[in-house]
Amino acid sequence: MAENMNIKLKVWRQAGPHTQGRFETYSVPDANPHMSFLELLDVLNEQLIKSGTDPVEFDHDCREGICGSCGVVVDGVAHGPQRRTACCQLHMRHYQDGDTIVVEPWRAEAFPIIKDLVVDRSAFDRIIAAGGYVSINAGSAQDANNLPIAKDKADLAMDYAACIGCGACVAACPNASASLFTAAKISHLAMLPQGSPERKKRVTAMVDQMAEEGFGDCSNHAECEAVCPKGISISSIATMRREYMKAMLS
Amino acid sequence: MSSKNPLRSPIGKKLVTGVTGLGLVVFVFIHMTGNLALFTGNEAYNQYTHFLTSLGGLLYVIEAGLVAFFLFHIVNGIQIWLGKRKARPVGYDTYKSAGSPSQQSASSRSMIITGLILAVFLVVHVISFKFGPGGPGNADPAYVTTIGGEEVRDLAKLVRENFASPFYTFGYTFVMLLLVVHLRHGIWSALQSLGAMRPSLTPLVYTIGAVVGVLIGAGFIALPLAIYFNLI
Ligand code: HEM
Ligand code: FES
């Protein structure tokens, strides 16, 4: 087919958490512009299986940009070159026949590699477990106007709630900081009446857990916002800092 | 409700770097405007420095505060840098910024380098001016002048002598350019660290940060160059 592309993939291979990894370069002659980036990896894996080689492990689930399972660094950018797009929604039409693409796992001490491109993101779960929830049963959905919430607040809370927990913010941050993830959750809950009563306890517990997990501190590079598939703003980080100061002073 | 040691937490460290950083910005701004007094003549400059030394006890308090600000700023800056190396022991083969809205720049990446050079400069600077000839513990009749019958230190003379040397003049100019680079990221970053940023203000604050940084740098650089090229 005329549209066929030959893509070279330079992929990080690592057999297990404690083994030495290395890059392997593979050619995928049957790529085409309609494929998603993960489909390209599927095609590569079929090739590898046929040739008796272990397929490349990578995380994925919904493949529609909503679950947060996928995530690799593509040519030096978390989730690849398309803004506000998880790598499952990146398509090969962004590439040319003959291109070489470098694929690496998220790199952070707090995200240890399990195999190949799969990292252990349970540090995020522990940050949430430290306080990223409302501890009472807030009941089922209320009558729309029972609990008035200003439109701008509701919108902002929704923007922050859009975090899918993929970890791209950590991967892209020069400091491997988890500030955007943690701040998105803290800001989202602080903005709504259900989350407000526990806001002080929540911000200190989650920030302490974030430090505990070995993420770096934030240097305000704002690289996280640029790679976030949901475009979550670093204004959430400013909000988290205000929340923290309020908690400190009480 | 607060954590065991709030100022050592990831957010506390940023509050400390931000508060001390902004404090130092205020200091360098005042210092810069003070220097400009030399443009109106040696006497105005010596009067200004004499006014500062005549503050006596208050000056010591201000100096102690400055030393504390510098130390806290430096210690936190170094800790954040060490922490980031621990947080990503294995780096990427290929890494690049995704571009706007990222604020990652040569300036944001080099804070530790520009900062450490500023720290070394600071020591040399204080030794050569404050504790230079005619300064505390270094009495020298050649650097005394009289203003209105009162004997005061002739710091203007020392400044002119030091900036007659190309090494000193261009070294100083270079370090002040690094200060501008430090502040290009530093000023807006400090506001973000203190939770003072709003998305609606972001472009404005970036601009103000850069402009204030450049003004401070330009003010510092003008004097040595003017002296070196015999313009004043
Ligand atoms: C001339 C005096 C200085 C001024 C006016 C100044 C100003 C600032 C400001 C405003 C910030 C932003 C704070 C923030 O992000 O919250 C900053 C950050 C920083 N400063 Fe300075 N600084 C000075 C000297 C130094 C020195 C001597 C060091 C020595 C190590 C240093 C190292 C740093 C570092 C590493 C950061 C970045 C911290 C981070 O990663 O978040 N600075 N500085
Ligand atoms: S696989 Fe679900 S977001 Fe990419």
Side-chain angles (χ1 to χ4, degrees):
Chain A
M1 210 167 65
E3 282 197 23
N4 253 24
M5 304 157 79
N6 188 349
I7 298 286
K8 275 212 175 65
L9 284 166
K10 184 178 162 192
V11 184
W12 183 259
R13 304 298 317 254
Q14 183 171 331
H18 305 293
T19 46
Q20 183 76 38
R22 74 204 174 282
F23 280 101
E24 291 285 350
T25 305
Y26 306 105
S27 243
V28 185
D30 296 328
N32 77 58
H34 306 297
M35 282 177 177
S36 74
F37 180 73
L38 296 190
E39 281 167 335
L40 177 75
L41 295 183
D42 292 337
V43 173
L44 167 67
N45 279 346
E46 277 167 30
Q47 256 175 240
L48 293 178
I49 291 165
K50 275 184 201 146
S51 70
T53 316
D54 262 359
V56 178
E57 293 282 343
F58 61 95
D59 261 330
H60 61 99
D61 188 13
C62 70
R63 298 207 177 193
E64 29 183 43
I66 54 173
C67 75
S69 302
C70 64
V72 289
V73 171
V74 183
D75 283 337
V77 176
H79 286 306
Q82 195 175 340
R83 275 205 57 205
R84 297 202 177 189
T85 305
C87 65
C88 59
Q89 287 289 295
L90 174 66
H91 284 82
M92 294 312 295
R93 53 179 170 269
H94 293 281
Y95 294 91
Q96 307 277 320
D97 183 34
D99 278 355
T100 299
I101 306 175
V102 184
V103 191
E104 296 175 76
W106 291 167
R107 297 262 185 214
E109 183 70 4
F111 284 168
I113 293 180
I114 298 173
K115 190 172 181 195
D116 297 333
L117 304 173
V118 177
V119 300
D120 177 357
R121 285 172 285 188
S122 55
F124 270 11
D125 301 340
R126 289 186 292 274
I127 293 176
I128 296 295
Y133 50 82
V134 174
S135 32
I136 51 142
N137 184 349
S140 50
Q142 310 228 8
D143 235 17
N145 294 324
N146 245 2
L147 200 60
I149 301 169
K151 166 91 171 120
D152 54 339
K153 274 203 170 170
D155 285 351
L156 204 53
M158 191 63 205
D159 288 349
Y160 296 150
C163 171
I164 53 177
C166 63
C169 44
V170 173
C173 174
N175 298 9
S177 165
S179 292
L180 191 67
F181 168 77
T182 310
K185 188 52 82 182
I186 287 170
S187 307
H188 150 220
L189 289 173
M191 222 141 263
L192 297 175
Q194 295 89 340
S196 191
E198 294 172 292
R199 60 205 288 175
K200 290 179 179 166
K201 200 170 97 185
R202 175 180 306 116
V203 67
T204 32
M206 290 180 75
V207 167
D208 282 352
Q209 190 63 36
M210 174 173 86
E212 185 83 7
E213 296 292 344
F215 292 105
D217 300 318
C218 170
S219 285
N220 301 330
H221 294 286
E223 192 63 37
C224 49
E225 178 176 336
V227 298
C228 177
K230 301 296 151 187
I232 294 174
S233 160
I234 57 163
S235 68
S236 59
I237 300 180
T239 304
M240 168 172 74
R241 289 171 178 154
R242 287 199 298 279
E243 290 291 316
Y244 192 85
M245 280 186 271
K246 285 184 213 153
M248 234 168 91
L249 298 174
S250 65
Chain B
M1 213 67 95
S2 46
S3 49
K4 293 141 269 167
N5 200 345
L7 288 182
R8 306 305 321 134
S9 77
I11 295 188
K13 277 185 234 166
K14 290 305 294 178
L15 297 178
V16 174
T17 343
V19 168
T20 54
L22 283 188
L24 294 176
V25 170
V26 171
F27 162 70
V28 289
F29 189 83
I30 297 174
H31 187 339
M32 181 275 288
T33 49
N35 287 359
L36 296 180
L38 194 53
F39 276 102
T40 58
N42 288 3
E43 194 170 276
Y45 187 76
N46 285 332
Q47 245 167 6
Y48 164 67
T49 59
H50 182 64
F51 162 74
L52 290 181
T53 41
S54 67
L55 290 175
L58 182 59
L59 183 65
Y60 288 126
V61 173
I62 296 174
E63 283 174 347
L66 264 176
V67 170
F69 265 50
F70 269 111
L71 287 181
F72 276 105
H73 188 79
I74 293 170
V75 167
N76 276 272
I78 292 176
Q79 280 178 338
I80 292 171
W81 180 74
L82 289 175
K84 101 183 204 171
R85 291 169 49 103
K86 244 174 76 184
R88 178 169 296 130
V90 182
Y92 292 104
D93 170 77
T94 308
Y95 177 84
K96 58 181 187 239
S97 169
S100 169
S102 171
Q103 289 299 311
Q104 201 183 158
S105 62
S107 155
S108 78
R109 276 190 301 267
S110 63
M111 294 303 271
I112 187 70
I113 300 166
T114 50
L116 287 175
I117 296 175
L118 284 168
V120 173
F121 164 84
L122 189 69
V123 175
V124 176
H125 181 72
V126 170
I127 291 175
S128 56
F129 286 104
K130 183 172 175 64
F131 295 101
N138 199 356
D140 187 335
Y143 292 87
V144 174
T145 180
T146 50
I147 296 177
E150 197 183 349
E151 287 206 337
V152 303
R153 181 179 182 190
D154 193 355
L155 193 59
K157 178 176 172 186
L158 181 63
V159 172
R160 287 178 181 279
E161 281 173 3
N162 281 347
F163 290 131
S165 133
F167 173 76
Y168 210 100
T169 308
F170 295 107
Y172 185 97
T173 304
F174 176 70
V175 175
M176 289 306 109
L177 290 176
L178 294 186
L179 176 62
V180 177
V181 174
H182 198 77
L183 296 185
R184 157 74 183 75
H185 178 72
I187 292 179
W188 90 264
S189 171
L191 293 172
Q192 166 75 2
S193 295
L194 301 180
M197 291 289 282
R198 298 276 185 294
S200 55
L201 295 179
T202 307
L204 178 67
V205 173
Y206 289 159
T207 313
I208 293 178
V211 169
V212 171
V214 168
L215 276 182
I216 290 176
F220 274 125
I221 291 168
L223 186 73
L225 291 185
I227 295 174
Y228 185 76
F229 291 108
N230 290 321
L231 301 175
I232 58 163

